[in-house]
Amino acid sequence: MKTTVIVGTQWGDEGKGCLCDYLAAQADIVVRYQGGNNAGHTVVVGDQQFKFHLIPSGILHPGKLCIMADGTVIDPLVLCREVDDLRARGVDTGGLRISAAAHVIMPYHIAQDILEEKRRGDRKIGTTSRGIGPAYADKSKRCGIRIGDLLRPDVLRARVRDVLDEKNVLFTQYYHAEALDADAIADQVLCAVPSFRDHIADTRAMVIDAVRRGRPILFEGAQATYLDLDYGTYPNVTSSHPVAGAACLGTGIGPRDIHDVIGVAKAYTTRVGSGPFPTELTDALGDRLRERGGEYGTTTGRPRRCGWLDGVMIACAATMNSLSALAVTKLDVLDDLDTVRICVGYRIDGEVMTTVPMDPSVLERVETIYEDLPGWRQDITGARSAADLPANARRYIDRISEIAGVPVRFVSVGPERSQLVVLGA
Ligand code: IMP
């Protein structure tokens, strides 16, 4: 294994966790490059289930260095809880490294996220209420607090006072909410630091060193291509850049040192929160996919919107992320269908489009063009190799590969580690 990026090709929740877990075994270092605890990976090992929001799931593999890199945003209270929980379950967290340059999600970011969503009313984005947008906004505005600042309590207090001078005007006069107390907030955040203080490091230097030595690195993307701040369905997007290119911006690696990019696509499509979704099924079939697929958010528990696989989205994601291969997850969820559908084009104003339009209001209006394939009507959860998959399931996978223009290298047929079927090298 060389350097590999794992990236979501839809609207998140593609089941990237199982692939990250599999590939982490072959990497020396696992790196998260963007996002924060808006993400949620579930990894099932035997009868144990682990839910990760911040820490790379590679931590389950002893001896790996697991980095939360510069481009991430970190809620110290959540990090402290996650580290303590893992330790309590006997997981060695010695390999965890937190970038001193990563930005901190402060309690006032969470308050601002919630107040702003309330203010938007019907136009709300449906954020995870984790403070992601306000934290990245402050980073861009250059008034953010970085993880390294948590090691200098006096500096931190002064910065928090300074930030709250402005934000309290916003909270009280614009949102008509309570003002926040700077010292109480600094105290709250500082209480969490002892859990991870010793893990704070210059992770950029670590990544640069690993690249120079040719060590295998796995970059673990959170969220997905169509939630990207630029490439997603703006404004119904997250505030970071989940696309593969951001692995460079958020860590210390350059573009020519990324050797392999694996896109993860669920065998159907889901979305949480608002925004266009051309292949959405708002009928009983959509409900059936939600129930069979357990489509409820790992982070917020919200029911996910469900629909057919959108091949137009996957094909564009393949180009925008330079995918070398695809992993198709949760194929077993389609086991009981007579027919499976793939969207192969959009029709708008009499024209056929095979790229995702940049304007979400156009995506909102498109008519989907479907290709129907026969279902396999067979339980595939026991499949462990390509030969175990029924012919119609293989046909569906082959068609996805043709549409995306890249080979399908992995298929998952259940949540357990052993249910990831490797189709090719
Ligand atoms: P935020 O990232 O909390 O600001 O949320 C912005 C949008 O991204 C909302 O529609 C969320 O539902 C969505 N979102 C953020 N993180 C995830 C994720 O990990 N999976 C799926 N959707 C997500």
Side-chain angles (χ1 to χ4, degrees):
M1 180 183 172
K2 301 178 227 169
T3 56
T4 301
V5 179
I6 293 177
V7 66
T9 58
Q10 296 159 320
W11 280 296
D13 309 314
E14 293 93 351
K16 297 178 284 293
C18 69
L19 188 67
C20 289
D21 177 56
Y22 173 82
L23 291 175
Q26 300 161 34
D28 284 356
I29 306 179
V30 185
V31 186
R32 261 198 72 180
Y33 56 88
Q34 47 69 232
N37 59 312
N38 47 348
H41 279 357
T42 306
V43 178
V44 181
V45 187
D47 57 1
Q48 291 227 63
Q49 194 184 60
F50 294 87
K51 287 187 191 259
F52 293 93
H53 295 288
L54 278 174
I55 299 176
S57 49
I59 204 79
L60 295 178
H61 297 268
K64 309 287 174 191
L65 214 50
C66 289
I67 294 179
M68 296 283 306
D70 313 359
T72 59
V73 284
I74 298 172
D75 180 333
L77 302 161
V78 174
L79 179 60
C80 160
R81 245 190 343 258
E82 212 161 280
V83 170
D84 291 350
D85 281 356
L86 284 171
R87 283 181 188 146
R89 292 178 72 178
V91 176
D92 177 8
T93 56
L96 178 65
R97 297 290 180 276
I98 314 288
S99 168
H103 277 248
V104 178
I105 298 180
M106 297 293 288
Y108 50 75
H109 290 134
I110 300 170
Q112 202 178 336
D113 194 357
I114 294 167
L115 289 166
E116 182 56 16
E117 281 282 271
K118 209 149 120 203
R119 187 197 69 82
R120 286 190 189 112
D122 289 348
R123 292 178 300 107
K124 75 173 183 202
I125 290 165
T127 71
T128 57
S129 308
R130 300 299 191 260
I132 305 294
Y136 276 115
D138 281 1
K139 172 179 176 174
S140 294
K141 200 171 161 225
R142 290 159 293 183
C143 65
I145 287 169
R146 305 207 293 178
I147 289 287
D149 298 331
L150 301 180
L151 300 174
R152 296 179 290 272
D154 291 346
V155 175
L156 174 75
R157 282 180 198 286
R159 300 280 302 281
V160 173
R161 273 187 217 117
D162 193 39
V163 171
L164 280 183
D165 270 352
E166 183 191 355
K167 285 204 195 286
N168 274 337
V169 175
L170 187 76
F171 286 145
T172 56
Q173 296 184 25
Y174 185 65
Y175 295 122
H176 306 294
E178 302 264 307
L180 298 177
D181 180 76
D183 280 324
I185 286 200
D187 288 343
Q188 197 184 349
V189 166
L190 286 168
C191 271
V193 178
S195 280
F196 58 84
R197 173 196 302 275
D198 295 342
H199 300 275
I200 299 175
D202 177 348
T203 63
R204 199 177 311 160
M206 291 174 173
V207 171
I208 290 171
D209 181 63
V211 169
R212 286 181 178 158
R213 289 170 192 265
R215 294 174 72 188
I217 312 175
L218 179 66
F219 294 92
E220 178 178 318
Q223 292 84 46
T225 305
Y226 295 96
L227 287 174
D228 186 282
L229 186 58
D230 282 321
Y231 298 104
T233 46
Y234 190 90
N236 297 102
V237 290
T238 191
S239 294
S240 69
H241 295 285
V243 292
C248 296
L249 301 176
T251 66
I253 194 170
R256 286 198 302 122
D257 286 310
I258 293 177
H259 304 119
D260 196 15
V261 183
I262 305 176
V264 185
K266 211 180 280 194
Y268 47 99
T269 312
T270 63
R271 173 164 206 171
V272 219
S274 322
F277 183 170
T279 62
E280 183 170 15
L281 290 163
T282 50
D283 55 7
L285 188 52
D287 294 341
R288 196 156 115 198
L289 287 176
R290 185 176 311 107
E291 292 316 311
R292 273 188 67 87
E295 296 298 349
Y296 295 88
T298 317
T299 302
T300 58
R302 288 181 292 174
R304 297 177 183 143
R305 300 156 65 192
C306 297
W308 293 117
L309 186 79
D310 189 333
V312 181
M313 285 177 69
I314 308 283
C316 287
T319 309
M320 292 192 288
N321 292 294
S322 283
L323 294 190
S324 24
L326 267 174
V328 177
T329 59
K330 299 181 95 164
L331 187 64
D332 56 300
V333 174
L334 307 182
D335 276 358
D336 64 344
L337 299 177
D338 291 327
T339 302
V340 283
R341 308 190 98 180
I342 306 179
C343 172
V344 292
Y346 302 138
R347 193 171 287 113
I348 179 118
D349 303 330
E351 303 255 328
V352 173
M353 301 178 80
T354 50
T355 51
V356 179
M358 201 177 71
D359 180 348
S361 70
V362 175
L363 194 61
E364 200 86 67
R365 291 191 298 119
V366 296
E367 212 182 292
T368 42
I369 302 169
Y370 284 112
E371 198 173 288
D372 287 356
L373 285 96
W376 43 96
R377 296 202 58 84
Q378 188 178 322
D379 178 358
I380 59 166
T381 54
R384 296 294 177 268
S385 71
D388 298 335
L389 291 172
N392 284 349
R394 286 209 302 271
R395 193 164 155 195
Y396 184 60
I397 293 297
D398 288 346
R399 189 64 190 118
I400 295 171
S401 170
E402 271 168 27
I403 292 166
V406 290
V408 174
R409 203 185 291 169
F410 303 92
V411 170
S412 89
V413 294
E416 226 280 315
R417 252 182 197 173
S418 61
Q419 290 175 300
L420 186 72
V421 179
V422 183
L423 300 184

